[in-house]
Amino acid sequence: MANEPRSTASSAVGGGMTVDECDSMIQRSLRTPMVKFLKEHLEKSGCNIGSNFIKAVHCDKKVSGGYVRGEGIVVCSNHLKIQDEVNQVVIHELIHAYDDCRAATLDWSDCAHHACSEIRAGHLTGDCHYKRELLRGFVKIRGHEQDCVRRRVLKSVTANPYCSEAAAKDAMEAVWDVCYNDTKPFDRAP
């Protein structure tokens, strides 16, 4: 989740892109099959997402994007460079939005709730596909996907001000099996 002050400055820094460039990429990502599928299932679950639900912003923190209940999805233009990165952020954050929609009692300050949604997003989005992992410098062949999901869950949940590193790890382990195997709205992990 990206709960931080944001500006709409359109100057890219650190090798990223401008807000306008990112907005164009978001529009392209809205036409991809996975994004269309997730948006359709969000709406079937009773969560209408308007045209401004996903927006490009300049982020001060070193994050790619985030979902904020009641506000929608932000994509951090200044930390992304290519269409595939924008697509991955949009898909990842749509999983969080879907989880928030279908679970009326989801509490983002609860480490286990946050960990569960991160497990699902990491597993269902392809964030941890072995080709992406190789590009990140992780070369493990067997078990790479679950290791990657665990690493990314811990990184995200420990960034939650309510979750220490130990609490994040305990929460992740406690909910791992149930959340990793929960593939909704998909029939199986894509």
Side-chain angles (χ1 to χ4, degrees):
M1 296 182 339
N3 282 328
E4 64 176 74
R6 299 174 192 94
S7 72
T8 56
S10 60
S11 59
V13 294
M17 65 182 89
T18 66
V19 168
D20 289 341
E21 290 167 333
C22 190
D23 270 330
S24 294
M25 289 191 182
I26 289 169
Q27 292 310 307
R28 282 194 287 279
S29 104
L30 294 174
R31 296 190 294 268
T32 65
M34 177 93 82
V35 171
K36 283 181 176 180
F37 177 85
L38 289 167
K39 281 182 62 182
E40 176 185 319
H41 282 272
L42 265 163
E43 294 188 3
K44 281 182 183 175
S45 297
C47 294
N48 295 322
I49 57 174
S51 59
N52 201 26
F53 186 76
I54 304 171
K55 45 196 162 296
V57 298
H58 177 94
C59 297
D60 295 329
K61 291 185 180 174
K62 183 73 175 115
V63 294
S64 300
Y67 167 72
V68 180
R69 177 182 285 149
E71 293 181 34
I73 293 170
V74 295
V75 180
C76 297
S77 62
N78 53 313
H79 298 304
L80 304 173
K81 297 177 184 175
I82 60 174
Q83 183 68 52
D84 182 63
E85 291 173 331
V86 173
N87 293 351
Q88 284 302 118
V89 170
V90 169
I91 292 165
H92 182 103
E93 301 307 333
L94 281 171
I95 295 288
H96 292 320
Y98 178 81
D99 288 347
D100 200 35
C101 176
R102 74 178 181 147
T105 60
L106 195 148
D107 177 0
W108 291 102
S109 66
D110 181 314
C111 303
H113 289 196
H114 187 176
C116 187
S117 190
E118 291 295 344
I119 290 165
R120 287 176 30 74
H123 180 52
L124 300 175
T125 60
D127 283 344
C128 290
H129 187 275
Y130 78 94
K131 288 180 184 173
R132 290 184 202 288
E133 280 291 87
L134 284 173
L135 291 172
R136 292 181 190 124
F138 295 98
V139 197
K140 185 176 179 186
I141 301 300
R142 267 213 170 101
H144 78 276
E145 197 262 354
Q146 288 193 19
D147 286 352
C148 170
V149 172
R150 288 176 190 278
R151 186 180 71 247
R152 294 170 67 88
V153 167
L154 286 175
K155 183 177 179 185
S156 182
V157 179
T158 56
N160 182 331
Y162 298 97
C163 303
S164 67
E165 189 172 340
K169 186 170 189 196
D170 290 346
M172 179 184 69
E173 295 302 334
V175 300
W176 180 266
D177 289 337
V178 169
C179 300
Y180 189 84
N181 291 307
D182 177 0
T183 62
K184 297 281 187 224
F186 306 97
D187 293 329
R188 59 181 173 76

